[in-house]
Amino acid sequence: MSEVKTTEGAGKELLVFTESAALTLGVELEMQLLSPRDFDLTRGATDLLSILDYDNRFGDIKLEITESMIEVGTLPRHSVDEIGADLDGLRQVLVKECARNNIVICGGGTHPFHRWPERRISPGERYAQTFNRYGYLAKQFTVFGQHIHVGCASADDAIWLTQALCPFVPFFIALSASSPFVDGVDTFFQSARLNAVSAFPLSGQCPELRDWAHFNEYYALLKDCGIIRSIKDLYWDVRPKPEYGTVEIRVCDTPLGVTQAAALAAFAQCLARHLLRTRPPYNAHLHLHVARYNKFQACRYGLDALLSSPVKRGQEPLREVLSDLLDSLVEDAVALGCSHWLESLRAPLDGTPSDADWLRERYARQRNLNDVVRESSIRFAQEALMPIKEAKQ
Amino acid sequence: MNGWLAPLRAAWEGLQERLIFLPPFPDQLDTLALFSLLLVVGLLVGEWLRTRWGWPRVLGYVLAGTFFGPAMLGWIDFAALAQMRPLADAAHGLLLMEIGRRLDIRWLFRNWVLMRGTLSDIVFSFLAIFVFSYAVAGLTPAWAAATAAVTMASAPAVVLLVIEEANGQGQVSERIILHTALGSAAAFIVFAVVLGVVHAQYSADWLNALVHPLWVALGAALIAWLMSWLALVLARRLPKGSLAQVFVLVAAALLAVGVARMLSVPIFLTLFLTGAVLAYRDADKTLSYTNLPEGHWLLAIILFVVVGASLPWQDFTWLTGLQALGLLVVRAGAKLLAPALAGGSLPMEKRLLVGVGIQPLSATAIFMAFELASLYPEIGRSALTLAFFAAALMEIVGPLLCRFAITRAGEAAGEGNEGRNVL
């Protein structure tokens, strides 16, 4: 497991960025562990990991903050096809191992009806510290996200990309939204998961940063002021991950199936390449005025959101802006060999139900949330990765 | 007590001459009133044990029943016990149906280690108890088999209530429930066969010896199938998890009890099978999300106060006590050995904890023993003394062992990281 490296500079501890091949990818998915009896969350993570018969060939499977969650992470890969294969491999391993131990696994950004006080913090010093620090927020953090890592060749590139990706956060939210239900009710949000994240003091958008040295100054300031203890305390929407040599996009809900998870990775890879290649001007100061509003719009309305543009001084439908953006990424997708994945993201723009819509449609049909979760789990178990050739067609 | 009641009695009898509606002076507390007082005492003892020592509430109910029952203070006499028995039967039946509903047969086919473990538990437990009862306690083969049938399985009601109370979640809790449910199923089947063997020993009437077990097993299965079908047909028309579905569940259980009584088929076997068949046939999860209301804890109090009062401590002798202890030791060995030898990826410590968690022996054994003893009143009671005492001892220790297993496995609520680390 990689650890954050530090060095001494000007009497201060400085973070060292481990450089990696540009545009390599890694995906982490936080998954729900359920009881097959009523499809409520169950405390199964520690048991499952201790009896797992798996050799890490597709990546690792590890604990998360509470015992009803589990996190899978792919190996670092160059292509989305490889990421997709890893995710599908992890899916098959988990479905099989969970079935052997009478646990059910599924995707989605929130569990629709679990009671957060019943959650239990996972064993381990880090989780105990998180609980001590944040109290009940740690248990309410039983929400399930997808994190996408994009490799950066230099530390300064990582800081530039971290900021350049910020205006695109609403697209990642809208495309992955799969958490309309919380505490047994329809929240009227497409992605209610991020409301649990936003309670943390260092969540949201990163501040305006010039380069890696500036980031190190900022990091040292927060540490000296006792606000953070490590980089893991920064719950930013997009943040540098120095030990991996990546920029990590953290705003996506875990989709209901691995195909969408791979497609979101393709979107991140193409977008990162496009930004690093074209280096568009970015006014972080100006963007900060609309960032929270645009994020709220994406969480609340998903693809039907209206985005505010501080440059154009007006609002634009997210759906139209996203469609144009996907057009502009075609060249990068071809170069990266992931056009088929990127194209699959157009489906919800053309009327195919998004994951959040799918969950609501199931609820309208079943009239109870237990069955919604049951159907989600069946979908996760049975929805194999879309065959790549078929996707290309 | 009569001394200080004398003036009251005299005054009452004086009034009776003028007030014609007054009944005779009540010398004894009405059974219902007495029982309700006992329930409150049981409840208080259970809550005290839970708060003071973290022990299962069930233990408090049993102790209250034992203390006030015929064997000790005698406040509950046999007549009162007989009056309360239908309520206790209903409570026990509902809990057995619940454990039947938790039986996931398909899990066994997804994990053959469990099949091996549960079958070993059934075979080892029966053989160990049979051999001990026959060779050491000196029972006849038929009564040794009866003792083994009655005591081989874990106690569904205790296991269910202890796990529910601890909000146990995890592999040990799940496997304890699975072992208990399958062990109970096996015990019921063996019990039916043993009925035939006992008939054969005491009567030359082979027809009854053969047909009675079949009547019991097939009758219970048929009633269970019909009741589960009826419950599912009705429940499909109602919202899932609704109160109306709870009524359907309870009504199906009561109907099953009624029909079983009409046909002289064991109630507990019928209700357990009703639950198990319901779980197996409910592919659409029509009734899976419908749980018994919290009120089933009231039924649990009644059940365990009655069980505590039914324990035959008045017949206690040191010899039978020691024999019962010996039976429990060999039974414990079998139950620890079965999951330990079954293998699989679950660590050995947790497999042994499953063995500890399935040690309880309680209401099912007591009621089964009473049922068998009632068929042969002259000899049955003494022949089953060993089973009664084994159950009596484990009535006290069993809930503690089950609770220990779940807590030690780290599966009880509140045992997690947060409990120790909050500043």
Side-chain angles (χ1 to χ4, degrees):
Chain A
M1 192 172 155
S2 301
E3 289 184 1
V4 183
K5 292 179 192 155
T6 56
T7 185
E8 290 290 318
K12 291 282 181 189
E13 184 187 77
L14 299 175
L15 291 170
V16 173
F17 187 85
T18 308
E19 290 173 2
S20 62
L23 303 176
T24 46
L25 280 174
V27 168
E28 294 162 344
L29 294 179
E30 292 159 344
M31 308 296 307
Q32 311 186 24
L33 297 179
L34 312 163
S35 157
R37 208 162 66 83
D38 57 5
F39 296 92
D40 195 356
L41 288 179
T42 189
R43 297 190 291 267
T46 314
D47 275 340
L48 185 64
L49 283 181
S50 70
I51 54 185
L52 203 61
D53 181 16
Y54 168 60
D55 58 5
N56 285 19
R57 73 178 69 178
F58 305 112
D60 53 8
I61 302 175
K62 52 193 180 187
L63 288 178
E64 247 302 326
I65 180 75
T66 65
E67 291 221 47
S68 307
M69 314 172 70
I70 207 157
E71 183 181 286
V72 300
T74 66
L75 297 168
R77 298 293 194 185
H78 288 279
S79 74
V80 181
D81 286 347
E82 291 170 305
I83 290 288
D86 277 355
L87 287 173
D88 199 42
L90 286 164
R91 179 189 66 83
Q92 289 177 38
V93 168
L94 278 176
V95 168
K96 183 176 157 216
E97 290 293 320
C98 285
R100 252 175 16 102
N101 295 289
N102 218 26
I103 297 171
V104 175
I105 189 155
C106 88
T110 54
H111 185 277
F113 61 89
H114 85 107
R115 284 169 37 81
W116 66 263
E118 288 176 9
R119 303 285 64 84
R120 202 162 80 178
I121 302 297
S122 294
E125 192 60 27
R126 183 185 145 210
Y127 299 124
Q129 279 176 3
T130 305
F131 184 66
N132 279 338
R133 198 140 201 233
Y134 297 110
Y136 86 117
L137 291 182
K139 288 192 178 187
Q140 288 198 327
F141 204 36
T142 307
V143 289
F144 308 87
Q146 172 177 353
H147 301 168
I148 306 167
H149 291 265
V150 182
C152 289
S154 76
D156 287 341
D157 272 359
I159 291 301
W160 186 86
L161 190 60
T162 297
Q163 305 210 66
L165 281 168
C166 285
F168 300 94
V169 158
F171 303 119
F172 284 99
I173 294 172
L175 284 169
S176 67
S178 61
S179 50
F181 298 103
V182 174
D183 292 338
V185 295
D186 190 336
T187 59
F188 298 104
F189 276 62
Q190 296 292 92
S191 170
R193 179 186 74 93
L194 285 168
N195 294 329
V197 184
S198 63
F200 285 81
L202 291 165
S203 62
Q205 190 173 340
C206 71
E208 193 173 348
L209 298 167
R210 289 189 304 279
D211 50 25
W212 185 254
H214 190 195
F215 170 72
N216 252 322
E217 277 175 38
Y218 178 74
Y219 178 78
L221 173 74
L222 294 184
K223 215 167 175 189
D224 291 346
C225 292
I227 297 171
I228 59 169
R229 289 177 197 171
S230 78
I231 199 161
K232 286 180 176 147
D233 289 323
L234 299 176
Y235 288 88
W236 292 343
D237 298 337
V238 185
R239 74 177 179 192
K241 187 85 171 172
E243 65 268 40
Y244 292 170
T246 61
V247 165
E248 182 185 11
I249 301 162
R250 300 161 46 81
V251 290
C252 298
D253 283 357
T254 296
L256 298 177
V258 291
T259 303
Q260 182 71 357
L264 287 164
F267 182 52
Q269 192 184 32
C270 294
L271 186 58
R273 183 178 188 273
H274 181 80
L275 291 171
L276 288 167
R277 183 171 61 83
T278 58
R279 299 271 172 168
Y282 172 61
N283 186 335
H285 184 68
L286 191 61
H287 179 73
L288 268 176
H289 294 303
V290 296
R292 278 178 67 87
Y293 176 81
N294 283 348
K295 190 173 157 187
F296 165 79
Q297 279 280 318
C299 288
R300 171 70 177 83
Y301 299 106
L303 294 167
D304 294 325
L306 287 174
L307 297 183
S308 295
S309 166
V311 178
K312 296 179 183 171
R313 291 198 166 233
Q315 288 198 315
E316 301 169 292
L318 181 146
R319 200 179 285 271
E320 286 176 18
V321 183
L322 178 58
S323 183
D324 293 345
L325 177 63
L326 291 174
D327 290 343
S328 68
L329 296 178
V330 167
E331 182 189 334
D332 299 282
V334 171
L336 291 166
C338 61
S339 304
H340 47 297
W341 291 105
L342 198 69
E343 279 307 302
S344 71
L345 291 175
R346 288 188 190 275
L349 298 180
D350 300 336
T352 304
S354 67
D355 281 358
D357 296 335
W358 187 89
L359 289 166
R360 282 203 174 92
E361 185 268 324
R362 286 299 185 276
Y363 180 66
R365 191 187 302 175
Q366 298 284 3
R367 302 311 301 169
N368 77 83
L369 289 170
N370 305 72
D371 277 334
V372 172
V373 184
R374 181 167 70 99
E375 293 201 18
S376 299
S377 68
I378 293 170
R379 178 172 163 180
F380 181 77
Q382 294 181 349
E383 186 187 290
L385 191 73
M386 194 190 298
I388 291 164
K389 279 183 184 170
E390 189 181 306
K392 280 177 179 168
Q393 288 163 4
Chain B
M1 197 153 85
N2 282 337
W4 63 267
L5 278 178
L8 188 62
R9 177 194 290 272
W12 183 284
E13 285 168 358
L15 280 173
Q16 262 188 314
E17 292 172 10
R18 297 177 61 188
L19 302 175
I20 56 167
F21 59 86
L22 274 186
F25 183 75
D27 284 309
Q28 285 185 323
L29 207 54
D30 179 81
T31 310
L32 197 62
L34 176 68
F35 207 80
S36 63
L37 284 176
L38 286 173
L39 289 185
V40 174
V41 173
L43 184 78
L44 292 175
V45 176
E47 289 301 321
W48 184 77
L49 287 178
R50 171 107 179 104
T51 316
R52 183 75 181 80
W53 305 102
W55 289 1
R57 292 186 180 95
V58 167
L59 191 53
Y61 311 153
V62 171
L63 288 177
T66 309
F67 196 64
F68 296 106
M72 294 186 79
L73 288 183
W75 289 14
I76 316 176
D77 56 17
F78 289 110
L81 264 182
Q83 275 189 312
M84 290 303 152
R85 183 62 195 274
L87 265 180
D89 281 353
H92 190 211
L94 279 176
L95 289 170
L96 278 174
M97 188 169 85
E98 197 59 19
I99 201 115
R101 290 203 320 137
R102 298 226 184 170
L103 178 59
D104 187 352
I105 294 282
R106 293 179 182 90
W107 188 16
L108 291 175
F109 295 99
R110 293 195 300 264
N111 190 339
W112 285 95
V113 170
L114 290 172
M115 184 79 91
R116 208 159 53 218
T118 47
L119 283 178
S120 307
D121 173 22
I122 291 164
V123 174
F124 291 177
S125 299
F126 180 82
L127 286 180
I129 299 167
F130 176 79
V131 169
F132 179 86
S133 306
Y134 176 66
V136 181
L139 297 179
T140 65
W143 287 110
T147 303
V150 166
T151 57
M152 63 188 275
S154 184
V158 171
V159 162
L160 198 63
L161 291 170
V162 169
I163 289 180
E164 192 176 312
E165 180 181 76
N167 192 8
Q169 286 179 12
Q171 288 301 304
V172 171
S173 303
E174 288 293 321
R175 287 167 198 232
I176 287 173
I177 289 176
L178 187 75
H179 272 258
T180 303
L182 281 174
S184 301
F188 287 132
I189 292 166
V190 174
F191 183 73
V193 174
V194 163
L195 274 179
V197 175
V198 174
H199 283 320
Q201 182 172 327
Y202 290 101
S203 144
D205 182 4
W206 280 93
L207 182 66
N208 276 309
L210 287 173
V211 176
H212 192 187
L214 285 176
W215 176 259
V216 165
L218 294 180
L222 187 65
I223 297 169
W225 190 87
L226 279 171
M227 291 309 126
S228 61
W229 172 79
L230 186 64
L232 286 172
V233 165
L234 291 173
R236 278 194 193 108
R237 298 164 192 279
L238 300 165
K240 287 184 182 181
S242 62
L243 189 60
Q245 279 202 339
V246 177
F247 287 136
V248 167
L249 208 53
V250 175
L254 294 179
L255 192 57
V257 170
V259 177
R261 279 163 62 157
M262 283 161 59
L263 300 177
S264 280
V265 168
I267 292 167
F268 304 138
L269 173 60
T270 308
L271 282 179
F272 172 80
L273 285 178
T274 304
V277 175
L278 256 179
Y280 187 77
R281 296 183 62 195
D282 193 6
D284 300 331
K285 303 277 177 190
T286 303
L287 271 170
S288 288
Y289 314 139
T290 304
N291 295 313
L292 288 178
E294 288 292 309
H296 74 280
W297 272 98
L298 179 68
L299 294 175
I301 301 172
I302 296 171
L303 171 64
F304 284 100
V305 167
V306 168
V307 167
S310 304
L311 298 176
W313 289 108
Q314 66 274 24
D315 299 335
F316 182 80
T317 64
W318 286 106
L319 179 64
T320 46
L322 277 175
Q323 286 178 343
L325 209 57
L327 183 150
L328 289 176
V329 169
V330 298
R331 179 180 180 269
K335 290 203 170 295
L336 286 168
L337 210 58
L341 293 183
S345 49
L346 195 68
M348 178 57 89
E349 190 197 350
K350 290 208 167 183
R351 277 187 264 155
L352 288 173
L353 287 174
V354 172
V356 173
I358 56 177
Q359 294 296 328
L361 179 61
S362 180
T364 312
I366 301 267
F367 291 164
M368 274 163 84
F370 273 127
E371 189 172 329
L372 190 54
S374 69
L375 290 175
Y376 297 95
E378 285 144 26
I379 36 170
R381 179 102 182 188
S382 60
L384 286 168
T385 305
L386 185 57
F388 276 121
F389 277 112
L393 290 174
M394 203 38 98
E395 199 71 65
I396 312 293
V397 186
L400 288 172
L401 288 174
C402 188
R403 171 79 198 202
F404 167 80
I406 296 161
T407 309
R408 176 81 186 186
E411 296 182 6
E415 299 290 334
N417 214 351
E418 63 268 35
R420 295 188 294 275
N421 292 289
V422 179
L423 290 174

